[in-house]
Every structure is written in structure tokens, then in C-alpha cells.
Amino acid sequence: FERGEPDTLRRPPRPPNQPLIDRRMVEQTVLAGAVIAGLSFALYANLLASGVAHVLAQNALLWLVVCFENAHALNCRSETRSLLAIPFAANPLLLLAIAGAQMAQVAAMYVPGLNRVLDLAPLPWQHWLGVAALALLIVPVMELYKAWRRKHS
């Protein structure tokens, strides 16, 4: 439900032989995947090494992945433009979906019965902000990539 980019009609059409998944998309996917995988592994390994219970480390990792995906959804609103150049209110359905996903994750951890069925345990509040802040690191990484691509295109 994202609006088209303002310069779409000023750009030349894509060549018919150009693949649907082009080099830029592959670069963005590999970079985002590497950041998400690397930070997820680092968090999990660090929690286990610091003596955190296995179930708590798993729940923190799940919370991190949900936060990563929601933060990265904001990055994916444009392949070229900065996240900060696109008004957040321009896509209220995306914001509702992100809020809904976060609330569903919280419910899955805290609602009695539901957390038992899903084998989840509540995270201590001291972990929430740290994990969410870690997930937000995907934003500046992708912003730097987009700025680099704009400069070199």
C-alpha cells in the first residue's frame, strides 16, 4: 500500500531484458540478511555465554527477529530514498501492521495459556529495550547503503 516514488514517471523504463531481481535488490537482501543474522547470532551467543537460561535466550532472539523484521519493513518502503524522506503517515496500514505484529508478539509471551501453547516465556523488562535498540541498527546500516548507492549510481 506504499505510494509510488515521486520521480517514477521521470525515470526511463527498465530494459525488457533486465531481470526482475536486479543487482541492487540482491545487494540489499544480502546486506540486510547478514546484519540480521550476525546480530541475532551475537545476541544469542552472548546471552548464553553470560549464563542466561536457554528459554530466555530463545525468547529474546524471537523478540529480536520480530523487531528486526518490523524495522526493516520501514527500510523497504523505497530501494533508493531515505526512510526519513518518506512521511510515516503516508502508509498508515504499514504502521498498523507493525504495531499489530509487536502486540501479537507481546501477547504470545504474556497471555496465560497462549504462551504455554507456543512454549514462550515473558522477557524481563530490562531485556526489552536493549533487544529493540539492537534491532533498530538495521535502519542506519540500510540508510548508509542507500546513500552509498545514490552517490555511486
Side-chain angles (χ1 to χ4, degrees):
F1 296 101
E2 195 68 42
R3 292 181 187 162
E5 296 192 20
D7 64 342
T8 301
L9 294 178
R10 289 190 293 268
R11 287 188 247 157
R14 293 170 62 123
N17 60 347
Q18 184 177 357
L20 184 61
I21 299 174
D22 62 0
R23 179 180 175 94
R24 178 181 300 219
M25 187 178 294
V26 170
E27 287 174 357
Q28 287 178 329
T29 302
V30 168
L31 177 60
V35 169
I36 291 169
L39 290 174
S40 296
F41 179 78
L43 173 73
Y44 189 69
N46 187 25
L47 287 174
L48 290 179
S50 67
V52 170
H54 181 71
V55 69
L56 180 60
Q58 284 181 319
N59 286 313
L61 180 60
L62 180 61
W63 177 248
L64 177 64
V65 171
V66 170
C67 290
F68 262 136
E69 294 306 318
N70 287 319
H72 191 51
L74 296 172
N75 284 329
C76 293
R77 295 176 71 196
S78 171
E79 286 185 358
T80 57
R81 293 188 322 163
S82 169
L83 163 68
L84 303 174
I86 306 168
F88 285 103
N91 193 342
L93 290 176
L94 178 62
L95 299 178
L96 282 170
I98 289 170
Q102 295 300 130
M103 287 188 290
Q105 179 64 24
V106 169
M109 286 185 179
Y110 287 95
V111 172
L114 183 58
N115 59 6
R116 280 190 298 278
V117 168
L118 297 173
D119 198 24
L120 296 173
L123 280 178
W125 285 102
Q126 62 266 26
H127 287 91
W128 282 83
L129 290 179
V131 170
L134 185 62
L136 288 176
L137 289 177
I138 192 71
V139 172
V141 169
M142 297 311 292
E143 287 295 308
L144 288 170
Y145 170 79
K146 288 180 189 180
W148 178 80
R149 285 293 286 178
R150 284 192 301 270
K151 184 176 178 183
H152 293 93
S153 293

